Amino acid sequence: MADAKPTFRFDDAGTIPPPGWIGRAARALFGYGSLYWVYQIVSFGDVGALTNLSVIGFTLFALQLIPYTVNIGFGIKLSFWPRLLAALGIAAAAYLGWQSTGEVASSSLWNAIAILNIYVYGHLGISFVLAAIFATAGCEMRALPILIGRLAGRRARDHYCPGPIRAIDNWERKRFGQKP
């Protein structure tokens, strides 16, 4: 793809056009879904949830997303390290639980998995909602830095979205004849 951008490349502020109403609605829906998952984990999660396929799937997806959440969200380039550290933390919690209770499925493992899910989906959810409200251009993970930049009187860098948001924004621009 000729216009593909490297995963962790930041562009000057104002480089990416803001989303239209469809892009903003998509961000709001993704934000709601992410925050609803956090609510589910906080309200109903316990050690028994470790065998739930939704918890397993969302946790694996959180491990996949954490480098993007950290690197793009904070504007740093730690590569795969956030994923490795999260996986090692979960493995250490499983080992600690096994050593103390004889069971891998323990409260320490649940706590590690809950913390990962709450952080990743909480950060994503808040970012998506702010991106919907403020029509943040590009990746939703830049919504917090852009908001902080606005409050501080400076412009934050843009980042093309490595996820589905970019495709939605591009489709909307083509469909309604807006400039890319």
mmCIF file of all heavy atoms in Angstrom, residues 20-66:
data_model
loop_
_atom_site.group_PDB
_atom_site.id
_atom_site.type_symbol
_atom_site.label_atom_id
_atom_site.label_comp_id
_atom_site.label_asym_id
_atom_site.label_seq_id
_atom_site.Cartn_x
_atom_site.Cartn_y
_atom_site.Cartn_z
ATOM 1 N N GLY A 20 -15.381 12.936 9.944
ATOM 2 C CA GLY A 20 -16.735 13.443 9.781
ATOM 3 C C GLY A 20 -17.640 12.806 10.818
ATOM 4 O O GLY A 20 -17.182 12.165 11.771
ATOM 5 N N TRP A 21 -18.945 12.953 10.628
ATOM 6 C CA TRP A 21 -19.892 12.461 11.620
ATOM 7 C C TRP A 21 -19.879 10.935 11.718
ATOM 8 O O TRP A 21 -20.111 10.393 12.801
ATOM 9 C CB TRP A 21 -21.286 13.017 11.365
ATOM 10 C CG TRP A 21 -21.953 12.504 10.118
ATOM 11 C CD1 TRP A 21 -21.880 13.030 8.864
ATOM 12 C CD2 TRP A 21 -22.784 11.351 10.024
ATOM 13 N NE1 TRP A 21 -22.604 12.264 7.986
ATOM 14 C CE2 TRP A 21 -23.176 11.235 8.675
ATOM 15 C CE3 TRP A 21 -23.242 10.402 10.942
ATOM 16 C CZ2 TRP A 21 -23.988 10.204 8.225
ATOM 17 C CZ3 TRP A 21 -24.060 9.387 10.488
ATOM 18 C CH2 TRP A 21 -24.419 9.293 9.148
ATOM 19 N N ILE A 22 -19.615 10.222 10.620
ATOM 20 C CA ILE A 22 -19.563 8.751 10.694
ATOM 21 C C ILE A 22 -18.336 8.315 11.496
ATOM 22 O O ILE A 22 -18.422 7.426 12.349
ATOM 23 C CB ILE A 22 -19.578 8.127 9.291
ATOM 24 C CG1 ILE A 22 -20.916 8.404 8.600
ATOM 25 C CG2 ILE A 22 -19.305 6.623 9.358
ATOM 26 C CD1 ILE A 22 -20.976 7.984 7.152
ATOM 27 N N GLY A 23 -17.197 8.933 11.240
ATOM 28 C CA GLY A 23 -15.983 8.624 12.005
ATOM 29 C C GLY A 23 -16.138 8.934 13.479
ATOM 30 O O GLY A 23 -15.674 8.185 14.340
ATOM 31 N N ARG A 24 -16.812 10.035 13.771
ATOM 32 C CA ARG A 24 -17.044 10.392 15.173
ATOM 33 C C ARG A 24 -18.004 9.407 15.835
ATOM 34 O O ARG A 24 -17.818 9.021 16.993
ATOM 35 C CB ARG A 24 -17.573 11.814 15.267
ATOM 36 C CG ARG A 24 -16.517 12.840 14.879
ATOM 37 C CD ARG A 24 -17.045 14.232 14.821
ATOM 38 N NE ARG A 24 -17.078 14.795 16.176
ATOM 39 C CZ ARG A 24 -17.315 16.068 16.421
ATOM 40 N NH1 ARG A 24 -17.545 16.911 15.430
ATOM 41 N NH2 ARG A 24 -17.339 16.507 17.662
ATOM 42 N N ALA A 25 -19.033 8.983 15.096
ATOM 43 C CA ALA A 25 -19.980 8.002 15.645
ATOM 44 C C ALA A 25 -19.279 6.669 15.892
ATOM 45 O O ALA A 25 -19.518 6.013 16.916
ATOM 46 C CB ALA A 25 -21.160 7.815 14.697
ATOM 47 N N ALA A 26 -18.408 6.258 14.967
ATOM 48 C CA ALA A 26 -17.659 5.010 15.150
ATOM 49 C C ALA A 26 -16.778 5.103 16.389
ATOM 50 O O ALA A 26 -16.707 4.157 17.191
ATOM 51 C CB ALA A 26 -16.808 4.711 13.910
ATOM 52 N N ARG A 27 -16.122 6.219 16.576
ATOM 53 C CA ARG A 27 -15.283 6.410 17.768
ATOM 54 C C ARG A 27 -16.127 6.332 19.041
ATOM 55 O O ARG A 27 -15.716 5.725 20.030
ATOM 56 C CB ARG A 27 -14.557 7.751 17.673
ATOM 57 C CG ARG A 27 -13.410 7.755 16.683
ATOM 58 C CD ARG A 27 -12.976 9.193 16.345
ATOM 59 N NE ARG A 27 -11.771 9.240 15.536
ATOM 60 C CZ ARG A 27 -11.736 9.073 14.225
ATOM 61 N NH1 ARG A 27 -12.854 8.829 13.550
ATOM 62 N NH2 ARG A 27 -10.589 9.149 13.573
ATOM 63 N N ALA A 28 -17.302 6.945 19.013
ATOM 64 C CA ALA A 28 -18.189 6.902 20.183
ATOM 65 C C ALA A 28 -18.617 5.464 20.483
ATOM 66 O O ALA A 28 -18.633 5.051 21.656
ATOM 67 C CB ALA A 28 -19.409 7.786 19.955
ATOM 68 N N LEU A 29 -18.944 4.696 19.456
ATOM 69 C CA LEU A 29 -19.349 3.301 19.666
ATOM 70 C C LEU A 29 -18.196 2.447 20.201
ATOM 71 O O LEU A 29 -18.387 1.649 21.118
ATOM 72 C CB LEU A 29 -19.894 2.696 18.367
ATOM 73 C CG LEU A 29 -21.283 3.164 17.966
ATOM 74 C CD1 LEU A 29 -21.637 2.657 16.570
ATOM 75 C CD2 LEU A 29 -22.320 2.703 18.976
ATOM 76 N N PHE A 30 -17.015 2.622 19.623
ATOM 77 C CA PHE A 30 -15.850 1.883 20.125
ATOM 78 C C PHE A 30 -15.541 2.284 21.570
ATOM 79 O O PHE A 30 -15.160 1.451 22.397
ATOM 80 C CB PHE A 30 -14.614 2.125 19.255
ATOM 81 C CG PHE A 30 -14.631 1.402 17.934
ATOM 82 C CD1 PHE A 30 -14.284 2.058 16.768
ATOM 83 C CD2 PHE A 30 -14.971 0.059 17.847
ATOM 84 C CE1 PHE A 30 -14.276 1.410 15.542
ATOM 85 C CE2 PHE A 30 -14.973 -0.608 16.630
ATOM 86 C CZ PHE A 30 -14.624 0.070 15.475
ATOM 87 N N GLY A 31 -15.704 3.571 21.872
ATOM 88 C CA GLY A 31 -15.481 4.042 23.241
ATOM 89 C C GLY A 31 -16.463 3.425 24.214
ATOM 90 O O GLY A 31 -16.087 2.958 25.292
ATOM 91 N N TYR A 32 -17.738 3.418 23.831
ATOM 92 C CA TYR A 32 -18.754 2.798 24.673
ATOM 93 C C TYR A 32 -18.432 1.325 24.909
ATOM 94 O O TYR A 32 -18.484 0.844 26.049
ATOM 95 C CB TYR A 32 -20.145 2.949 24.044
ATOM 96 C CG TYR A 32 -21.193 2.146 24.778
ATOM 97 C CD1 TYR A 32 -21.731 2.619 25.972
ATOM 98 C CD2 TYR A 32 -21.602 0.902 24.298
ATOM 99 C CE1 TYR A 32 -22.672 1.866 26.672
ATOM 100 C CE2 TYR A 32 -22.544 0.151 24.988
ATOM 101 C CZ TYR A 32 -23.072 0.629 26.167
ATOM 102 O OH TYR A 32 -23.985 -0.120 26.858
ATOM 103 N N GLY A 33 -18.093 0.603 23.845
ATOM 104 C CA GLY A 33 -17.777 -0.821 23.979
ATOM 105 C C GLY A 33 -16.588 -1.075 24.889
ATOM 106 O O GLY A 33 -16.615 -1.975 25.731
ATOM 107 N N SER A 34 -15.559 -0.273 24.745
ATOM 108 C CA SER A 34 -14.366 -0.423 25.591
ATOM 109 C C SER A 34 -14.678 -0.139 27.056
ATOM 110 O O SER A 34 -14.275 -0.896 27.952
ATOM 111 C CB SER A 34 -13.254 0.510 25.109
ATOM 112 O OG SER A 34 -12.850 0.182 23.815
ATOM 113 N N LEU A 35 -15.395 0.946 27.301
ATOM 114 C CA LEU A 35 -15.733 1.293 28.683
ATOM 115 C C LEU A 35 -16.737 0.314 29.289
ATOM 116 O O LEU A 35 -16.686 0.040 30.498
ATOM 117 C CB LEU A 35 -16.243 2.733 28.756
ATOM 118 C CG LEU A 35 -15.186 3.786 28.428
ATOM 119 C CD1 LEU A 35 -15.808 5.171 28.379
ATOM 120 C CD2 LEU A 35 -14.027 3.735 29.413
ATOM 121 N N TYR A 36 -17.613 -0.232 28.459
ATOM 122 C CA TYR A 36 -18.542 -1.250 28.951
ATOM 123 C C TYR A 36 -17.771 -2.497 29.381
ATOM 124 O O TYR A 36 -18.102 -3.116 30.398
ATOM 125 C CB TYR A 36 -19.594 -1.591 27.888
ATOM 126 C CG TYR A 36 -20.640 -2.553 28.393
ATOM 127 C CD1 TYR A 36 -21.616 -2.129 29.293
ATOM 128 C CD2 TYR A 36 -20.635 -3.887 27.995
ATOM 129 C CE1 TYR A 36 -22.566 -3.009 29.779
ATOM 130 C CE2 TYR A 36 -21.584 -4.779 28.481
ATOM 131 C CZ TYR A 36 -22.546 -4.331 29.368
ATOM 132 O OH TYR A 36 -23.483 -5.209 29.863
ATOM 133 N N TRP A 37 -16.737 -2.860 28.648
ATOM 134 C CA TRP A 37 -15.917 -4.016 29.032
ATOM 135 C C TRP A 37 -15.238 -3.753 30.377
ATOM 136 O O TRP A 37 -15.188 -4.639 31.238
ATOM 137 C CB TRP A 37 -14.894 -4.367 27.956
ATOM 138 C CG TRP A 37 -14.051 -5.528 28.349
ATOM 139 C CD1 TRP A 37 -12.723 -5.515 28.639
ATOM 140 C CD2 TRP A 37 -14.476 -6.890 28.549
ATOM 141 N NE1 TRP A 37 -12.300 -6.774 29.004
ATOM 142 C CE2 TRP A 37 -13.362 -7.632 28.951
ATOM 143 C CE3 TRP A 37 -15.701 -7.539 28.430
ATOM 144 C CZ2 TRP A 37 -13.430 -8.994 29.225
ATOM 145 C CZ3 TRP A 37 -15.765 -8.896 28.704
ATOM 146 C CH2 TRP A 37 -14.638 -9.601 29.090
ATOM 147 N N VAL A 38 -14.738 -2.553 30.577
ATOM 148 C CA VAL A 38 -14.124 -2.198 31.866
ATOM 149 C C VAL A 38 -15.158 -2.332 32.976
ATOM 150 O O VAL A 38 -14.866 -2.905 34.040
ATOM 151 C CB VAL A 38 -13.529 -0.767 31.819
ATOM 152 C CG1 VAL A 38 -13.103 -0.303 33.206
ATOM 153 C CG2 VAL A 38 -12.354 -0.704 30.857
ATOM 154 N N TYR A 39 -16.356 -1.850 32.728
ATOM 155 C CA TYR A 39 -17.435 -1.976 33.711
ATOM 156 C C TYR A 39 -17.694 -3.450 34.037
ATOM 157 O O TYR A 39 -17.867 -3.811 35.210
ATOM 158 C CB TYR A 39 -18.705 -1.303 33.171
ATOM 159 C CG TYR A 39 -19.940 -1.625 33.969
ATOM 160 C CD1 TYR A 39 -20.170 -1.025 35.202
ATOM 161 C CD2 TYR A 39 -20.877 -2.545 33.494
ATOM 162 C CE1 TYR A 39 -21.304 -1.329 35.943
ATOM 163 C CE2 TYR A 39 -22.012 -2.850 34.225
ATOM 164 C CZ TYR A 39 -22.223 -2.249 35.440
ATOM 165 O OH TYR A 39 -23.333 -2.560 36.179
ATOM 166 N N GLN A 40 -17.744 -4.298 33.035
ATOM 167 C CA GLN A 40 -17.982 -5.726 33.248
ATOM 168 C C GLN A 40 -16.875 -6.349 34.109
ATOM 169 O O GLN A 40 -17.156 -7.124 35.028
ATOM 170 C CB GLN A 40 -18.061 -6.464 31.900
ATOM 171 C CG GLN A 40 -19.265 -6.122 31.071
ATOM 172 C CD GLN A 40 -20.547 -6.594 31.713
ATOM 173 O OE1 GLN A 40 -20.644 -7.702 32.214
ATOM 174 N NE2 GLN A 40 -21.546 -5.729 31.722
ATOM 175 N N ILE A 41 -15.632 -6.013 33.809
ATOM 176 C CA ILE A 41 -14.488 -6.554 34.563
ATOM 177 C C ILE A 41 -14.561 -6.102 36.025
ATOM 178 O O ILE A 41 -14.404 -6.895 36.948
ATOM 179 C CB ILE A 41 -13.148 -6.111 33.928
ATOM 180 C CG1 ILE A 41 -12.938 -6.797 32.579
ATOM 181 C CG2 ILE A 41 -11.967 -6.363 34.852
ATOM 182 C CD1 ILE A 41 -12.648 -8.278 32.654
ATOM 183 N N VAL A 42 -14.803 -4.829 36.240
ATOM 184 C CA VAL A 42 -14.831 -4.274 37.594
ATOM 185 C C VAL A 42 -16.030 -4.794 38.383
ATOM 186 O O VAL A 42 -15.908 -5.150 39.552
ATOM 187 C CB VAL A 42 -14.827 -2.729 37.552
ATOM 188 C CG1 VAL A 42 -15.095 -2.130 38.913
ATOM 189 C CG2 VAL A 42 -13.507 -2.221 36.990
ATOM 190 N N SER A 43 -17.171 -4.873 37.739
ATOM 191 C CA SER A 43 -18.407 -5.232 38.447
ATOM 192 C C SER A 43 -18.590 -6.726 38.662
ATOM 193 O O SER A 43 -19.115 -7.136 39.698
ATOM 194 C CB SER A 43 -19.620 -4.701 37.684
ATOM 195 O OG SER A 43 -19.574 -3.305 37.611
ATOM 196 N N PHE A 44 -18.194 -7.514 37.697
ATOM 197 C CA PHE A 44 -18.541 -8.934 37.755
ATOM 198 C C PHE A 44 -17.351 -9.876 37.712
ATOM 199 O O PHE A 44 -17.530 -11.084 37.800
ATOM 200 C CB PHE A 44 -19.494 -9.284 36.599
ATOM 201 C CG PHE A 44 -20.708 -8.409 36.565
ATOM 202 C CD1 PHE A 44 -20.875 -7.466 35.562
ATOM 203 C CD2 PHE A 44 -21.672 -8.492 37.559
ATOM 204 C CE1 PHE A 44 -21.990 -6.647 35.531
ATOM 205 C CE2 PHE A 44 -22.788 -7.685 37.536
ATOM 206 C CZ PHE A 44 -22.956 -6.756 36.524
ATOM 207 N N GLY A 45 -16.161 -9.352 37.563
ATOM 208 C CA GLY A 45 -14.990 -10.207 37.426
ATOM 209 C C GLY A 45 -14.500 -10.770 38.742
ATOM 210 O O GLY A 45 -14.548 -10.119 39.773
ATOM 211 N N ASP A 46 -14.075 -12.012 38.671
ATOM 212 C CA ASP A 46 -13.418 -12.668 39.803
ATOM 213 C C ASP A 46 -12.620 -13.848 39.253
ATOM 214 O O ASP A 46 -12.543 -14.048 38.045
ATOM 215 C CB ASP A 46 -14.415 -13.103 40.875
ATOM 216 C CG ASP A 46 -15.423 -14.133 40.379
ATOM 217 O OD1 ASP A 46 -15.260 -14.678 39.276
ATOM 218 O OD2 ASP A 46 -16.396 -14.404 41.110
ATOM 219 N N VAL A 47 -12.035 -14.621 40.128
ATOM 220 C CA VAL A 47 -11.194 -15.737 39.713
ATOM 221 C C VAL A 47 -11.942 -16.696 38.779
ATOM 222 O O VAL A 47 -11.372 -17.208 37.823
ATOM 223 C CB VAL A 47 -10.649 -16.497 40.950
ATOM 224 C CG1 VAL A 47 -9.871 -17.723 40.538
ATOM 225 C CG2 VAL A 47 -9.790 -15.577 41.796
ATOM 226 N N GLY A 48 -13.220 -16.881 39.007
ATOM 227 C CA GLY A 48 -14.009 -17.770 38.152
ATOM 228 C C GLY A 48 -14.072 -17.312 36.708
ATOM 229 O O GLY A 48 -14.288 -18.112 35.796
ATOM 230 N N ALA A 49 -13.857 -16.024 36.465
ATOM 231 C CA ALA A 49 -13.902 -15.489 35.103
ATOM 232 C C ALA A 49 -12.690 -15.889 34.275
ATOM 233 O O ALA A 49 -12.688 -15.707 33.057
ATOM 234 C CB ALA A 49 -14.017 -13.967 35.141
ATOM 235 N N LEU A 50 -11.674 -16.459 34.924
ATOM 236 C CA LEU A 50 -10.462 -16.840 34.196
ATOM 237 C C LEU A 50 -10.718 -17.935 33.154
ATOM 238 O O LEU A 50 -9.919 -18.101 32.239
ATOM 239 C CB LEU A 50 -9.363 -17.291 35.170
ATOM 240 C CG LEU A 50 -8.785 -16.182 36.033
ATOM 241 C CD1 LEU A 50 -7.869 -16.755 37.107
ATOM 242 C CD2 LEU A 50 -8.039 -15.170 35.172
ATOM 243 N N THR A 51 -11.816 -18.657 33.275
ATOM 244 C CA THR A 51 -12.139 -19.689 32.285
ATOM 245 C C THR A 51 -13.167 -19.202 31.262
ATOM 246 O O THR A 51 -13.528 -19.950 30.358
ATOM 247 C CB THR A 51 -12.679 -20.955 32.984
ATOM 248 O OG1 THR A 51 -13.841 -20.604 33.745
ATOM 249 C CG2 THR A 51 -11.627 -21.571 33.890
ATOM 250 N N ASN A 52 -13.613 -17.965 31.393
ATOM 251 C CA ASN A 52 -14.587 -17.391 30.471
ATOM 252 C C ASN A 52 -13.892 -17.052 29.152
ATOM 253 O O ASN A 52 -12.875 -16.347 29.134
ATOM 254 C CB ASN A 52 -15.189 -16.142 31.114
ATOM 255 C CG ASN A 52 -16.258 -15.513 30.276
ATOM 256 O OD1 ASN A 52 -16.010 -15.122 29.140
ATOM 257 N ND2 ASN A 52 -17.445 -15.381 30.843
ATOM 258 N N LEU A 53 -14.447 -17.523 28.045
ATOM 259 C CA LEU A 53 -13.823 -17.289 26.741
ATOM 260 C C LEU A 53 -13.753 -15.805 26.387
ATOM 261 O O LEU A 53 -12.802 -15.378 25.727
ATOM 262 C CB LEU A 53 -14.550 -18.064 25.644
ATOM 263 C CG LEU A 53 -14.346 -19.574 25.666
ATOM 264 C CD1 LEU A 53 -15.141 -20.231 24.541
ATOM 265 C CD2 LEU A 53 -12.873 -19.926 25.548
ATOM 266 N N SER A 54 -14.726 -15.022 26.810
ATOM 267 C CA SER A 54 -14.678 -13.577 26.552
ATOM 268 C C SER A 54 -13.492 -12.945 27.275
ATOM 269 O O SER A 54 -12.770 -12.122 26.706
ATOM 270 C CB SER A 54 -15.970 -12.896 26.998
ATOM 271 O OG SER A 54 -17.046 -13.325 26.225
ATOM 272 N N VAL A 55 -13.294 -13.319 28.515
ATOM 273 C CA VAL A 55 -12.172 -12.774 29.283
ATOM 274 C C VAL A 55 -10.853 -13.185 28.641
ATOM 275 O O VAL A 55 -9.941 -12.356 28.476
ATOM 276 C CB VAL A 55 -12.245 -13.225 30.765
ATOM 277 C CG1 VAL A 55 -10.973 -12.842 31.515
ATOM 278 C CG2 VAL A 55 -13.468 -12.614 31.429
ATOM 279 N N ILE A 56 -10.749 -14.431 28.259
ATOM 280 C CA ILE A 56 -9.519 -14.910 27.606
ATOM 281 C C ILE A 56 -9.285 -14.147 26.302
ATOM 282 O O ILE A 56 -8.183 -13.651 26.043
ATOM 283 C CB ILE A 56 -9.590 -16.432 27.371
ATOM 284 C CG1 ILE A 56 -9.592 -17.166 28.711
ATOM 285 C CG2 ILE A 56 -8.426 -16.900 26.494
ATOM 286 C CD1 ILE A 56 -9.969 -18.639 28.626
ATOM 287 N N GLY A 57 -10.316 -14.039 25.484
ATOM 288 C CA GLY A 57 -10.181 -13.350 24.197
ATOM 289 C C GLY A 57 -9.839 -11.881 24.342
ATOM 290 O O GLY A 57 -8.936 -11.375 23.665
ATOM 291 N N PHE A 58 -10.567 -11.188 25.224
ATOM 292 C CA PHE A 58 -10.294 -9.763 25.421
ATOM 293 C C PHE A 58 -8.909 -9.545 26.031
ATOM 294 O O PHE A 58 -8.256 -8.544 25.743
ATOM 295 C CB PHE A 58 -11.375 -9.104 26.283
ATOM 296 C CG PHE A 58 -12.576 -8.670 25.503
ATOM 297 C CD1 PHE A 58 -13.712 -9.450 25.462
ATOM 298 C CD2 PHE A 58 -12.577 -7.473 24.798
ATOM 299 C CE1 PHE A 58 -14.833 -9.061 24.749
ATOM 300 C CE2 PHE A 58 -13.683 -7.059 24.076
ATOM 301 C CZ PHE A 58 -14.817 -7.859 24.041
ATOM 302 N N THR A 59 -8.460 -10.479 26.874
ATOM 303 C CA THR A 59 -7.121 -10.351 27.466
ATOM 304 C C THR A 59 -6.052 -10.544 26.399
ATOM 305 O O THR A 59 -5.074 -9.788 26.349
ATOM 306 C CB THR A 59 -6.944 -11.352 28.620
ATOM 307 O OG1 THR A 59 -7.927 -11.066 29.618
ATOM 308 C CG2 THR A 59 -5.556 -11.252 29.223
ATOM 309 N N LEU A 60 -6.229 -11.531 25.529
ATOM 310 C CA LEU A 60 -5.262 -11.729 24.442
ATOM 311 C C LEU A 60 -5.238 -10.516 23.516
ATOM 312 O O LEU A 60 -4.173 -10.082 23.065
ATOM 313 C CB LEU A 60 -5.588 -13.005 23.662
ATOM 314 C CG LEU A 60 -5.357 -14.313 24.424
ATOM 315 C CD1 LEU A 60 -5.866 -15.505 23.622
ATOM 316 C CD2 LEU A 60 -3.879 -14.484 24.781
ATOM 317 N N PHE A 61 -6.414 -9.953 23.244
ATOM 318 C CA PHE A 61 -6.484 -8.755 22.410
ATOM 319 C C PHE A 61 -5.835 -7.569 23.122
ATOM 320 O O PHE A 61 -5.161 -6.749 22.488
ATOM 321 C CB PHE A 61 -7.937 -8.454 22.023
ATOM 322 C CG PHE A 61 -8.085 -7.464 20.908
ATOM 323 C CD1 PHE A 61 -7.380 -7.602 19.724
ATOM 324 C CD2 PHE A 61 -8.938 -6.389 21.044
ATOM 325 C CE1 PHE A 61 -7.515 -6.689 18.687
ATOM 326 C CE2 PHE A 61 -9.095 -5.465 20.018
ATOM 327 C CZ PHE A 61 -8.377 -5.614 18.840
ATOM 328 N N ALA A 62 -6.008 -7.474 24.440
ATOM 329 C CA ALA A 62 -5.361 -6.404 25.211
ATOM 330 C C ALA A 62 -3.836 -6.529 25.120
ATOM 331 O O ALA A 62 -3.128 -5.519 24.993
ATOM 332 C CB ALA A 62 -5.814 -6.428 26.662
ATOM 333 N N LEU A 63 -3.333 -7.753 25.165
ATOM 334 C CA LEU A 63 -1.888 -7.963 24.998
ATOM 335 C C LEU A 63 -1.438 -7.510 23.610
ATOM 336 O O LEU A 63 -0.335 -6.970 23.457
ATOM 337 C CB LEU A 63 -1.517 -9.423 25.222
ATOM 338 C CG LEU A 63 -1.424 -9.870 26.671
ATOM 339 C CD1 LEU A 63 -1.289 -11.388 26.759
ATOM 340 C CD2 LEU A 63 -0.258 -9.186 27.371
ATOM 341 N N GLN A 64 -2.265 -7.725 22.620
ATOM 342 C CA GLN A 64 -1.948 -7.279 21.266
ATOM 343 C C GLN A 64 -1.972 -5.745 21.188
ATOM 344 O O GLN A 64 -1.144 -5.138 20.520
ATOM 345 C CB GLN A 64 -2.951 -7.874 20.271
ATOM 346 C CG GLN A 64 -2.781 -7.418 18.849
ATOM 347 C CD GLN A 64 -1.471 -7.871 18.220
ATOM 348 O OE1 GLN A 64 -0.878 -8.853 18.618
ATOM 349 N NE2 GLN A 64 -1.014 -7.118 17.248
ATOM 350 N N LEU A 65 -2.926 -5.120 21.871
ATOM 351 C CA LEU A 65 -3.124 -3.670 21.774
ATOM 352 C C LEU A 65 -2.189 -2.838 22.646
ATOM 353 O O LEU A 65 -1.989 -1.653 22.369
ATOM 354 C CB LEU A 65 -4.561 -3.322 22.163
ATOM 355 C CG LEU A 65 -5.666 -3.775 21.225
ATOM 356 C CD1 LEU A 65 -7.022 -3.461 21.840
ATOM 357 C CD2 LEU A 65 -5.527 -3.127 19.869
ATOM 358 N N ILE A 66 -1.642 -3.417 23.699
ATOM 359 C CA ILE A 66 -0.918 -2.585 24.674
ATOM 360 C C ILE A 66 0.264 -1.808 24.087
ATOM 361 O O ILE A 66 0.463 -0.657 24.462
ATOM 362 C CB ILE A 66 -0.528 -3.375 25.948
ATOM 363 C CG1 ILE A 66 -0.129 -2.386 27.048
ATOM 364 C CG2 ILE A 66 0.529 -4.406 25.678
ATOM 365 C CD1 ILE A 66 -0.079 -2.977 28.425
#
